[in-house]
């Protein structure tokens, strides 16, 4: 229990843990959807403090991890052009495309810049009217509204040398795809708190009912996660499957209406391929026809780039909760944060990186039967 | 990037017809767009993600989260030099600083 010292409020953490231990009567598998939650769980050893019967399965909620290789390759192609200033969040710099990454493109002379906000990219476009400025628009429902606002502002201000390379993804279709998989072991979801800050919880009751899974909106701090687990396990033990909000300080049931309205104006739902998982119907956004002129794929004619993944990388299984990172043969040997095979290792929010950073490599693998698909 | 950090609004003004604020994240001040929380006032707290205020927070929970993030080094990850972080991750020296290119 050494990790408990790191908790903000060890007494409260202890009480939550005691209650979870007292409630559990049989094994349950919960999936935390968000990569930020995965890191908090591994960093604090929360999975090791929970009763043995409660297994946390890491979900596909890391935007950097699930961005498909072909989109990374499109980014590398566009960023290499002399007329382009390519703007990105910092955590995309080391994501491997085919043979290189954005960091390397910069080293080769490409004008790659890191911005804190997509609006910074728009400012760069206004300061450089003779260059093409492209922003790499990836992420879930939390990141999509800022990117939508930036395109809206570009149009409003008449900035024509700005475009978005867009690869946004949506959580509910991913939950649907996970539940439909024949190998699915997930019995409940800890929903991603900040996604729900934007979207609210409207999309979840139907999913919870149809698949008979509790969905508990959960925050990121250790105590938030323990509270999410406590409420989820209580539902499972009672045989219930409702949507519950364990993160009310940042999530209103209706979400952020202004952000949702902007999403509806700028984007339209589309099928999207997820790195390591493949196509999930209706799981993404692309620019709506009204904003097509701001679509970088169209502007730079890279729509047809197609690539394939390294065969040794099993990040797809990790992203679907079918394999724990350290069970992959390449983990820590062929694949490390310095030589990543797949995005789950390179992204600071990826499950493989979390295990590499916070768990020593001599961690003994879980017995196969505990993780094999049922 | 996924991290959304609580911050306190210290100044609000219109810039190019857009409602913007200076927001203090435990000592680091950043420019933040308020278009999605237009009635946010100076002194209030909000969850901020990639330069956008997305949801109001009460002061106490904002302060606690900030303290936690700081103690875990997560604010450095969010606001530190991304090129240096990427260079460190890859075991290579960072390319020329961005300022040199402007």
């Amino acid at each position: 229990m050494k990790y408990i010292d790191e908790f903000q409020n060890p007494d409260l953490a202890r009480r939550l843990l005691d209650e979870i231990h007292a409630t559990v009567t049989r094994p349950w598998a919960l999936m935390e959807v968000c990569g930020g939650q995965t890191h908090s769980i591994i960093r604090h050893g929360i999975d090791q403090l929970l009763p043995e019967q409660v297994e946390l399965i890491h979900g596909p909620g890391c935007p950097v991890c699930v961005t498909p290789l072909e989109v990374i390759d499109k980014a590398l192609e566009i960023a290499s052009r002399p007329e382009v200033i390519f703007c990105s969040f910092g955590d995309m710099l080391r994501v491997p495309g085919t043979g290189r990454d954005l960091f390397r493109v910069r080293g080769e002379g490409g004008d790659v810049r890191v911005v804190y906000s997509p609006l910074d990219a728009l400012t760069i476009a206004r300061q450089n009217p003779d260059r093409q400025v492209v922003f790499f628009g990836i992420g879930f429902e939390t990141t999509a509204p800022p990117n939508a606002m930036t395109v809206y502002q570009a149009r409003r201000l008449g900035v024509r040398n700005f475009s978005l390379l867009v690869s946004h993804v949506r959580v509910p279709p991913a939950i649907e795809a996970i539940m439909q998989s024949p190998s699915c072991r997930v019995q409940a979801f800890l929903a991603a708190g900040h996604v729900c800050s934007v979207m609210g919880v409207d999309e979840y009751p139907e999913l919870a009912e149809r698949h008979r899974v509790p969905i508990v909106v959960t925050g990121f701090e250790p105590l938030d996660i323990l509270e999410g687990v406590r409420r989820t396990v209580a539902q499972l033990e009672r045989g219930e499957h409702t949507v519950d909000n364990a993160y009310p300080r940042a999530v209103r049931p209706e979400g952020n209406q202004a952000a949702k309205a902007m999403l509806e104006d700028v984007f339209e739902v589309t099928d999207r391929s997820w790195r390591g998982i493949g196509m999930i119907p209706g799981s993404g956004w692309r620019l709506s026809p009204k904003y097509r002129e701001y679509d970088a794929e169209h502007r730079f004619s890279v729509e047809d780039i197609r690539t394939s993944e390294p065969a040794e990388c099993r990040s797809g299984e990790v992203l679907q909760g079918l394999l724990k990172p350290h069970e992959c043969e390449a983990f820590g040997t062929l694949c490390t944060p310095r030589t990543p095979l797949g995005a789950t290792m390179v992204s600071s929010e990826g499950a493989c990186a979390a295990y590499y950073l916070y768990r020593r490599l001599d961690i003994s693998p879980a017995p196969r039967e505990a993780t094999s698909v049922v | 990037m996924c991290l959304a950090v609580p911050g306190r609004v210290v100044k609000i003004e219109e810039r190019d017809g857009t409602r913007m604020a200076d927001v203090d994240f435990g000592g680091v001040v950043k420019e933040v767009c308020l278009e999605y929380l237009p009635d946010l006032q100076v002194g209030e707290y909000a969850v901020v993600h990639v330069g956008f205020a997305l949801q109001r927070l009460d002061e106490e929970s904002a302060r606690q989260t900030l303290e936690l993030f700081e103690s875990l080094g997560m604010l450095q990850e969010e606001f530190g030099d991304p090129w240096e972080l990427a260079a460190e991750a890859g075991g290579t020296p960072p390319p020329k600083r961005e300022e040199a290119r402007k």
Side-chain angles (χ1 to χ4, degrees):
Chain A
M1 296 290 180
K2 61 181 177 174
Y3 298 96
I4 215 158
D5 295 339
E6 292 178 19
F7 286 6
Q8 233 178 333
N9 184 334
D11 294 338
L12 188 49
R14 160 71 60 205
R15 265 188 281 158
L16 288 170
L17 276 165
D18 287 347
E19 198 173 328
I20 295 166
H21 277 269
T23 309
V24 169
T25 62
R26 60 209 133 127
W28 299 112
L30 326 182
M31 175 175 274
E32 88 275 1
V33 173
C34 171
Q37 291 170 337
T38 301
H39 268 247
S40 197
I41 287 163
I42 304 301
R43 197 166 201 160
H44 296 278
I46 291 171
D47 53 335
Q48 297 174 339
L49 295 171
L50 291 171
E52 268 182 25
Q53 297 105 311
V54 178
E55 184 190 0
L56 291 175
I57 297 177
H58 316 309
C62 162
V64 177
C65 304
V66 301
T67 301
L69 186 60
E70 64 196 55
V71 175
I72 306 291
D73 282 346
K74 286 172 185 175
L76 299 173
E77 158 78 22
I78 293 170
S80 302
R81 300 196 183 196
E83 77 274 24
V84 167
I85 300 172
F86 193 87
C87 299
S88 168
F89 297 128
D91 43 14
M92 294 305 288
L93 295 176
R94 279 292 183 186
V95 180
T98 305
R100 57 188 184 150
D101 55 27
L102 282 171
F103 192 88
R104 180 112 152 247
V105 168
R106 161 91 164 214
E108 291 165 359
D111 195 347
V112 179
R113 301 190 192 179
V114 173
V115 293
Y116 164 66
S117 163
L119 285 178
D120 297 341
L122 189 58
T123 302
I124 292 171
R126 298 175 78 188
Q127 289 166 345
N128 294 271
D130 55 333
R131 307 280 300 279
Q132 282 290 327
V133 174
V134 181
F135 181 70
F136 200 175
I138 69 144
F140 283 88
E141 290 95 327
T142 329
T143 323
N147 294 347
M149 176 64 76
T150 305
V151 174
Y152 171 86
Q153 295 282 14
R155 189 165 182 265
R156 186 178 69 83
L157 296 165
V159 181
R160 306 192 66 87
N161 63 323
F162 174 83
S163 57
L164 192 68
L165 177 61
V166 52
S167 186
H168 283 301
V169 279
R170 303 170 59 231
V171 166
I175 290 181
E176 177 68 36
I178 287 162
M179 290 311 295
Q180 282 190 3
S181 163
S183 47
C184 175
R185 296 189 301 120
V186 178
Q187 293 164 293
F189 288 93
L190 303 177
H194 291 144
V195 164
C196 297
S197 292
V198 171
M199 301 304 288
V201 297
D202 291 353
E203 295 174 283
Y204 293 130
E206 197 265 336
L207 273 173
E209 181 60 36
R210 191 151 39 82
H211 295 292
R212 307 184 66 80
V213 285
I215 300 178
V216 179
V217 178
T218 303
F220 301 86
E221 295 182 41
L223 290 177
D224 288 327
I225 290 166
L226 286 176
E227 174 64 5
V229 171
R230 185 187 71 81
R231 293 195 195 193
T232 309
V233 169
Q235 277 204 49
L236 287 165
E237 289 284 341
R238 291 196 301 261
E240 294 172 2
H241 45 85
T242 63
V243 177
D244 185 16
N245 182 4
Y247 194 37
R249 70 177 188 274
V251 175
R252 316 279 180 270
E254 71 280 7
N256 183 318
Q257 306 273 27
K260 282 158 80 175
M262 183 62 75
L263 284 173
E264 198 158 311
D265 180 49
V266 174
F267 293 128
E268 63 184 11
V269 169
T270 185
D271 297 344
R272 226 179 250 283
S273 186
W274 294 49
R275 188 166 197 169
I277 297 178
M279 180 66 72
I280 302 178
S283 68
W285 276 303
R286 66 178 170 204
L287 288 163
S288 62
K290 187 170 152 190
Y291 292 93
R292 179 120 200 260
E293 63 179 302
Y294 294 96
D295 186 343
E297 284 193 51
H298 182 58
R299 189 172 293 192
F300 296 95
S301 304
V302 292
E303 283 137 319
D304 294 328
I305 288 184
R306 291 280 179 275
T307 39
S308 61
E309 298 282 352
E312 308 92 331
C313 181
R314 301 179 69 186
S315 61
E317 290 162 82
V318 173
L319 288 168
Q320 294 174 81
L322 304 177
L323 189 78
K324 287 275 162 67
H326 57 279
E327 293 164 344
C328 172
E329 282 175 10
F331 178 84
T333 54
L334 200 55
C335 183
T336 70
R338 287 194 175 191
T339 56
L341 281 181
T344 44
M345 181 62 90
V346 75
S347 162
S348 65
E349 288 158 23
C352 296
Y355 273 69
Y356 192 91
L357 288 171
Y358 305 127
R359 292 273 157 84
R360 289 203 314 275
L361 290 178
D362 58 4
I363 187 168
S364 49
R368 279 308 303 178
E369 59 273 18
T371 50
S372 63
V373 294
V374 178
Chain B
M1 185 194 89
C2 202
L3 194 60
V5 183
R8 179 175 171 273
V9 178
V10 293
K11 188 172 95 179
I12 295 176
E13 64 183 19
E14 293 274 314
R15 288 173 208 158
D16 288 326
T18 304
R19 194 167 166 81
M20 300 293 289
D22 289 344
V23 173
D24 182 355
F25 301 93
V28 181
V29 175
K30 289 269 181 190
E31 198 175 57
V32 165
C33 179
L34 298 189
E35 288 289 313
Y36 290 140
L37 278 183
D39 53 351
L40 200 65
Q41 301 297 322
V42 169
E44 286 192 292
Y45 288 78
V47 172
V48 176
H49 179 58
V50 297
F52 283 73
L54 292 178
Q55 200 56 267
R56 248 190 193 80
L57 268 189
D58 63 88
E59 177 172 354
E60 182 55 22
S61 53
R63 199 181 52 72
Q64 286 180 359
T65 307
L66 266 182
E67 279 174 14
L68 180 80
F69 283 3
E70 173 131 62
S71 72
L72 296 176
M74 289 164 85
L75 291 181
Q76 174 61 26
E77 254 174 50
E78 183 74 0
F79 299 123
D81 184 330
W83 290 103
E84 281 178 12
L85 291 172
E88 199 179 314
T92 47
K96 280 184 293 182
R97 294 184 67 83
E98 267 169 65
E99 286 74 17
R101 293 179 157 259
K102 288 180 183 168

